[in-house]
Amino acid sequence: MPGKVILGAQWGDEGKGKFIDIFAAKADLVVRSQGGNNAGHTVVVNGETYKLQLIPSGILYPDCVNVIGPGVVVDPRNVLREIDGLAEKGVSCDKLYIDARCHCILPWHLELDALSEKARGGDDIGTTKKGIGPTYMDKAERIGVRMHDFVGERFEEALREACERKNKVITGVYGGEPIDIEAVLAEYKDYAGRLRPHVRDTSVLTYAAVKAGQDVLFEGAQGTLLDLDMGTYPYVTSSHPVAGGCCIGSGVGPTAIGSVMGICKSYTTRVGKGPFPTELFDETGDYIRKAGGEFGTVTGRPRRTGWFDAVIARYAVRVNGLTELVINKIDPLRGLDKLKVCVAYRYKGETITEFPANFADLAHCEPVYEEFEGFTEDITGCRSWDDLPSAVQSYIKELERIIDCPITMLGVGPARDQVMTLK
Ligand code: GDP
Ligand code: IMO
Ligand code: MG
């Protein structure tokens, strides 16, 4: 059976972790294929909250194989911290495998992320400062340290070479303090030893699972609009969160994928900088932020909030080939008088319905809204369509009409069971 992709259809934090966890209940293998610990995926089970950054959201099921694919960048210190944190909660990572091709995030990448953001002055990207961009830069420049070197015989040679090269940039370009390689070697040697049993060619595992007809889930990180090519460049991440990225980043071909589920919230959020046409700067924006708990899972930063943007949703359908859409986090809209949905943009006196390729144009797009009735009922206990207030039913039906993609599931609360399946 070809696999299922679950990805973010907006700017990240749509609730991917919750849906991966739900589908992982019957999955044999869950694979992450891009990004790194810039992701923060929340899974709430029996009142316990798990905030997963690099480890796939299938980890809570002991029989599920969890794979960090070749397109992911791995911070050895951070992933071990995550493994230890899970162990404290009784969750085993014995079935966690990291691809030998993954590039390592090392101390100089963290330093360079911070220095380059600072050097941009007010024009910074607003990165998570986890070293993601600098690590993908080294990969593209073909000077990165891959996991097979990190856990292999070239450990010391590879780290010394990389550190020497990067210290020239840190001191020469940014006037920063050089990194002490001896301290790094001493600290990271232990990490290499601990990670070694987890490292292998994971594309073999993923392919075997697909070929055997097992249930395979591709776990997206970030979101469509943070994609390096298809997102709001340059205010994007450095990998490919769109569906196509799953193949490159997990090392299997497109025939391994059978369906693509996009996750949206019933409103829009973004962390970091960049244009956001439906952003709200008023009390409604504050209301949504508070009701939805919109504070970054990784950085704690308040998320920017705004109305649902259907131009973005239609774009996500197109560039990911979405076969279905989930509308998550509907409950935080409770108590708002009217619900607005952006159906088009006004740009230079014209109405446009396609998402612009140039972020500078997007910054000048005015949203064109349709308005719908709000609801006052507590919907967090609803588990089927018929339980929902009629205003919520109409809102969802209207979204499906406007976006033109089947809405198959809804989310009404953070817990695993606070969802409903429509189709
Ligand atoms: P991800 O990065 O896409 O996995 O999403 P995050 O975990 O960063 O952010 C989603 C946040 O919303 C987390 O705090 C979740 O626990 C929470 N959440 C998920 N689904 C729902 C929902 O339907 N309603 C509410 N109120 N919260 C939700
Ligand atoms: P999940 O998987 C939301 C954003 C950062 C910044 C930009 C670049 O939890 O949805 P980076 O550190 O990647 O170089 O930062 O991308 N960003 C995210 N925003 N959710 C995420 O992941 C994100 N990962 C990166 O805020 O704007
Ligand atoms: Mg998140």
Side-chain angles (χ1 to χ4, degrees):
M1 182 173 57
K4 183 182 193 72
V5 176
I6 300 186
L7 56 74
Q10 296 166 317
W11 271 293
D13 302 325
E14 299 89 348
K16 297 174 292 293
K18 179 175 82 172
F19 286 92
I20 307 277
D21 169 65
I22 290 167
F23 282 92
K26 59 179 181 57
D28 297 293
L29 184 143
V30 179
V31 52
R32 274 274 311 262
S33 38
Q34 41 73 223
N37 58 310
N38 49 348
H41 296 175
T42 315
V43 177
V44 182
V45 187
N46 300 329
E48 177 93 69
T49 300
Y50 300 85
K51 293 187 179 198
L52 300 160
Q53 289 186 252
L54 190 72
I55 295 181
S57 304
I59 201 72
L60 302 183
Y61 299 96
D63 291 335
C64 186
V65 173
N66 283 270
V67 168
I68 295 177
V72 177
V73 287
V74 178
D75 181 331
R77 176 165 45 189
N78 201 277
V79 72
L80 285 165
R81 215 179 272 159
E82 218 178 316
I83 290 172
D84 291 342
L86 285 166
E88 276 169 25
K89 292 184 174 180
V91 179
S92 161
C93 287
D94 286 354
K95 287 193 181 149
L96 172 72
Y97 300 108
I98 303 173
D99 198 89
R101 304 169 184 86
C102 288
H103 280 250
C104 293
I105 303 178
L106 294 162
W108 38 92
H109 297 121
L110 301 172
E111 186 67 17
L112 285 165
D113 201 350
L115 287 170
S116 82
E117 281 283 88
K118 197 164 164 224
R120 291 175 73 111
D123 195 25
D124 57 320
I125 305 287
T127 74
T128 58
K129 298 208 174 71
K130 300 292 179 192
I132 306 295
T135 307
Y136 278 116
M137 278 168 68
D138 281 5
K139 171 173 165 168
E141 203 182 343
R142 286 145 294 170
I143 56 168
V145 176
R146 305 214 299 182
M147 207 32 102
H148 56 73
D149 279 338
F150 185 75
V151 301
E153 283 170 10
R154 284 198 71 246
F155 169 81
E156 182 170 341
E157 185 191 343
L159 265 67
R160 274 192 194 283
E161 205 177 281
C163 185
E164 198 178 319
R165 198 192 287 261
K166 291 293 148 178
N167 271 342
K168 285 187 190 143
V169 182
I170 291 171
T171 57
V173 176
Y174 296 106
E177 286 295 313
I179 305 249
D180 174 4
I181 184 61
E182 304 307 332
V184 173
L185 290 173
E187 181 185 348
Y188 280 65
K189 190 143 197 69
D190 174 49
Y191 303 157
R194 287 192 61 200
L195 286 179
R196 196 168 296 125
H198 295 276
V199 177
R200 61 190 59 195
D201 182 345
T202 63
S203 75
V204 172
L205 294 177
T206 307
Y207 181 71
V210 172
K211 192 135 168 80
Q214 292 187 341
D215 203 319
V216 174
L217 271 186
F218 295 84
E219 172 170 2
Q222 289 77 56
T224 302
L225 293 187
L226 289 170
D227 185 273
L228 184 56
D229 287 322
M230 302 312 287
T232 45
Y233 189 90
Y235 299 100
V236 292
T237 192
S238 313
S239 67
H240 293 290
V242 295
C246 290
C247 293
I248 299 172
S250 60
V252 294
T255 46
I257 294 173
S259 63
V260 187
M261 171 183 261
I263 315 286
C264 281
K265 288 191 257 217
S266 66
Y267 49 91
T268 312
T269 66
R270 114 168 264 187
V271 266
K273 296 205 173 167
F276 178 177
T278 63
E279 184 166 13
L280 292 165
F281 299 95
D282 56 8
E283 62 276 15
T284 306
D286 292 338
Y287 183 94
I288 294 174
R289 185 176 305 106
K290 197 156 168 245
E294 296 298 350
F295 296 88
T297 308
V298 176
T299 57
R301 289 179 288 179
R303 294 175 182 148
R304 299 157 64 193
T305 50
W307 292 116
F308 188 88
D309 188 332
V311 180
I312 287 175
R314 285 194 300 256
Y315 181 71
V317 171
R318 169 156 64 85
V319 303
N320 294 301
L322 295 187
T323 49
E324 56 188 305
L325 198 63
V326 170
I327 306 293
N328 193 32
K329 296 191 84 161
I330 306 172
D331 52 301
L333 294 182
R334 175 189 182 190
L336 291 168
D337 205 27
K338 295 274 177 214
L339 306 180
K340 292 192 190 183
V341 173
C342 169
V343 293
Y345 300 141
R346 288 290 292 169
Y347 177 68
K348 292 190 177 165
E350 281 183 33
T351 301
I352 57 170
T353 52
E354 294 295 346
F355 192 72
N358 180 352
F359 92 92
D361 295 340
L362 186 63
H364 295 103
C365 284
E366 291 287 322
V368 177
Y369 286 117
E370 281 189 26
E371 275 192 11
F372 304 99
E373 283 306 308
F375 61 97
T376 52
E377 298 87 341
D378 177 1
I379 60 166
T380 56
C382 295
R383 294 293 178 270
S384 74
W385 179 256
D386 294 337
D387 294 344
L388 290 170
S390 59
V392 177
Q393 291 179 341
S394 325
Y395 182 64
I396 300 302
K397 276 191 207 152
E398 289 300 326
L399 286 186
E400 191 166 54
R401 172 186 63 79
I402 295 163
I403 303 165
D404 194 22
C405 179
I407 295 174
T408 55
M409 290 182 83
L410 307 179
V412 292
R416 214 181 232 179
D417 66 337
Q418 287 181 302
V419 294
M420 63 187 80
T421 303
L422 306 182
K423 294 172 183 154

